[in-house]
Amino acid sequence: LVCRENAWKVHGAIAPDAAVEEFAASLPSANELTALRLGTRQKHPDIPDSEDVQMLFNVEHLIEGTQLVHSVQLWNLDGVSSVTASCLSYLLQEFAALSSLGTGSARGFGSIALDGYERGSDAPDLPTPDEFLQYVRDNRVESIDWVMSSRKKRRPAPKAAE
């Protein structure tokens, strides 16, 4: 969360040339960026005899327009296959395109916009997602068979207590 309380941690990503104290003074406090949403749930079809039972709840959330800084760090791409690196590239691209964050995203809350990923100064570029997508197309049947085979395996029943 880009706020006064976290200035020491995020200033390197946002304002690396500014002094931390000066940067912090320009930011809102965390309590200015959060709000509390209250709600009531009236029906509990999954709970027997729950007619007329009401559940009160609250969710603390970030207000619209709040800025966040996040990072993904790979220690080393040496030894990582090009398909795996391409898969990471695909996942980052999908996250940027379809991203939501936190509770309530099913109700339309938590949509986020990303500026895109920037690699570190000494980090290699990731490949495009194309190699991974081609690998998925080429291995579709085998992948489905592999996933479905794990569903066929049955675990032994637990032994009865003696």
Side-chain angles (χ1 to χ4, degrees), residues 69-80:
V69 172
H70 77 279
S71 65
V72 174
Q73 184 174 9
L74 297 175
W75 286 102
N76 194 340
L77 284 178
D78 292 343
V80 172

Side-chain angles (χ1 to χ4, degrees):
L1 184 64
V2 179
C3 63
R4 200 171 306 140
E5 294 83 352
N6 290 338
W8 65 275
K9 187 154 178 85
V10 299
H11 91 284
I14 297 174
D17 297 330
V20 176
E21 297 80 14
E22 187 179 303
F23 176 65
S26 71
L27 298 174
S29 66
N31 68 340
E32 295 174 79
L33 300 174
T34 58
L36 192 61
R37 183 173 299 272
L38 305 174
T40 305
R41 182 174 171 195
Q42 298 291 340
K43 184 175 170 125
H44 303 273
D46 51 326
I47 302 173
D49 301 322
S50 66
E51 287 297 319
D52 302 323
V53 175
Q54 111 178 199
M55 179 179 75
L56 303 175
F57 63 90
N58 63 59
V59 177
E60 184 178 26
H61 64 94
L62 301 173
I63 63 170
E64 187 175 338
T66 298
Q67 187 177 13
L68 300 170
V69 172
H70 77 279
S71 65
V72 174
Q73 184 174 9
L74 297 175
W75 286 102
N76 194 340
L77 284 178
D78 292 343
V80 172
S81 75
S82 59
V83 172
T84 302
S86 179
C87 177
L88 176 61
S89 183
Y90 172 75
L91 293 173
L92 294 174
Q93 179 180 308
E94 286 296 296
F95 180 67
L98 306 170
S99 52
S100 63
L101 192 61
T103 62
S105 58
R107 294 187 311 270
F109 301 113
S111 295
I112 59 176
L114 299 175
D115 290 337
Y117 287 92
E118 297 179 18
R119 65 177 179 83
S121 59
D122 58 345
D125 287 325
L126 285 173
T128 68
D130 298 336
E131 183 180 358
F132 169 70
L133 294 172
Q134 187 61 50
Y135 178 87
V136 170
R137 284 190 291 273
D138 292 347
N139 294 281
R140 180 181 182 276
V141 172
E142 292 86 353
S143 298
I144 291 170
D145 289 346
W146 179 78
V147 169
M148 296 307 287
S149 71
S150 67
R151 296 184 75 181
K152 294 176 186 172
K153 294 178 184 175
R154 301 273 182 210
R155 294 185 180 191
K159 292 182 180 180
E162 295 177 11

